Amino acid sequence: MDHIAILKDAARTTLRHRALWVLGPLWFLVGGGISTGYVGTPGNFGSNWRYNGRSPHLPRFDPDQFLAALVVLCGLGLILLVVSQIIRYVLQAGIYRSLYRLHTEGAEPTIAAGFREGWHRRTWRLVAQNWLVAVPFIIVALVLLALAAAPLLLNLTESKGLNVLGIVMAIGLFMGWLGFLLVVGMILSVLQQFWWRLAVIADQTTFTAMRNGWRLVRQNLGDIGIMWLLLVGINILVMVVSFPVILVLGGVTAAVAGGPGYLIYSLTHSLILSLFWAVPVSILFLVVPLLFLGGLYLIFQTEVWNRVFIEIYQRSFV
């Protein structure tokens, strides 16, 4: 396996096909990469307000109205979460298959094809695989965390020596618990790259894909391990480069959004009017570029693992 060639081809694919410039950021957004929110408070904060010595009149608190509003907000939040997760899985499967068809058939990726390829029954296999892994992982993690915290029960005694011993043991076990989660998480992240693709590209059933994914990784540890290490190095490099990029974008955003926003506030004494300028401009100059770059990098990583999967799958099953 030519790992460097795969990385170069993945970079060229990411930069060459503009449909991926849309699909990637969308997938990055619904996958939890970037989220923004704004809550405005109506009012006029300025010199027109004067304290008259009396407490301001506050509206009467109505528990029923508050509960109704809370239920509505929770319902809307749940609907938004479900819709975003559906879009996430559809895009994941669609991008996997679009990149696969590009490599094997020369089919040009399109936005419509990305959604069309992902809107299929096989996409539910991704959901099933994630739940089959996540639920046991969370249960085991919580049980081990409880065991790691068990030495703290020594603090119930009146012995200072036992108290100190319990704290030291709990800290040591907690660090071991974190290390265990880190190692298992890394192993699962690699395995998922293969059983996800076996499910939506090779069209294997949920459990068959997971079983064959484990076999593929176990039989090709060398090639997969080298690619994983290369991607870790690239991730570190991207993180280092991201700091100055974020600083530059933050500075530009502060100048373009913060400066005029403060001027608007100085002239109108209205926080709402200044936010009407600052928030959209901040999204345009800071959030959108970061979302775009994050989406491109997500496509690059996906294409790398797609190429690795295709090469290993073809020599193992074809």
Side-chain angles (χ1 to χ4, degrees), residues 96-288:
Y96 282 1
R97 290 189 60 84
S98 294
L99 292 174
Y100 172 76
R101 293 189 61 206
L102 171 65
H103 182 69
T104 57
E105 305 172 14
E108 181 73 16
T110 64
I111 298 174
F115 281 94
R116 184 173 60 252
E117 291 284 352
W119 191 258
H120 194 277
R121 287 179 298 177
R122 57 176 165 257
T123 301
W124 286 105
R125 298 168 189 166
L126 301 178
V127 182
Q129 288 173 344
N130 285 348
W131 277 99
L132 286 171
V133 172
V135 172
F137 181 78
I138 292 174
I139 293 175
V140 171
L142 292 177
V143 171
L144 293 178
L145 179 61
L147 294 176
L152 293 176
L153 295 175
L154 294 175
N155 288 330
L156 299 177
T157 65
E158 297 181 356
S159 172
K160 292 184 178 180
L162 291 178
N163 292 345
V164 173
L165 178 62
I167 294 174
V168 172
M169 290 179 61
I171 293 175
L173 291 174
F174 180 73
M175 297 303 295
W177 177 77
L178 287 179
F180 170 78
L181 294 186
L182 180 62
V183 172
V184 173
M186 289 189 298
I187 294 173
L188 289 176
S189 68
V190 174
L191 288 170
Q192 285 175 329
Q193 300 298 333
F194 289 86
W195 66 50
W196 282 340
R197 287 165 173 81
L198 286 167
V200 298
I201 293 178
D203 205 13
Q204 297 183 2
T205 62
T206 300
F207 290 103
T208 301
M210 297 180 75
R211 183 173 61 252
N212 288 334
W214 164 256
R215 182 163 67 88
L216 285 179
V217 172
R218 183 167 48 86
Q219 293 176 349
N220 299 273
L221 278 177
D223 285 332
I224 294 173
I226 292 174
M227 184 57 75
W228 181 82
L229 288 174
L230 288 173
L231 286 176
V232 169
I234 294 174
N235 286 338
I236 295 174
L237 179 62
V238 169
M239 290 175 60
V240 172
V241 174
S242 296
F243 283 112
V245 171
I246 293 174
L247 288 177
V248 171
L249 291 176
V252 172
T253 302
V256 177
Y262 179 75
L263 180 61
I264 293 173
Y265 176 76
S266 300
L267 295 175
T268 64
H269 301 290
S270 173
L271 181 62
I272 296 300
L273 290 179
S274 63
L275 289 177
F276 277 157
W277 168 266
V279 172
V281 173
S282 298
I283 293 175
L284 179 63
F285 282 86
L286 181 62
V287 176
V288 172

Side-chain angles (χ1 to χ4, degrees), residues 24-25 28 289-299:
F28 186 67
L290 293 179
L291 183 65
F292 178 73
L293 294 175
L296 288 186
Y297 187 55
L298 183 59
I299 291 293

Side-chain angles (χ1 to χ4, degrees), residues 18-31:
R18 296 185 179 181
L20 300 176
W21 299 2
V22 177
L23 294 173
L26 282 176
W27 184 22
F28 186 67
L29 176 63
V30 296

Side-chain angles (χ1 to χ4, degrees), residues 49-89:
W49 183 83
R50 294 291 185 273
Y51 178 65
N52 57 12
R54 295 178 296 177
S55 299
H57 176 70
L58 298 177
R60 182 180 178 183
F61 176 74
D62 190 336
D64 293 335
Q65 291 183 355
F66 174 78
L67 181 60
L70 182 62
V71 170
V72 171
L73 289 176
C74 290
L76 292 175
L78 180 61
I79 293 173
L80 181 62
L81 177 63
V82 172
V83 171
S84 66
Q85 289 302 297
I86 292 175
I87 297 174
R88 169 197 166 189
Y89 283 109

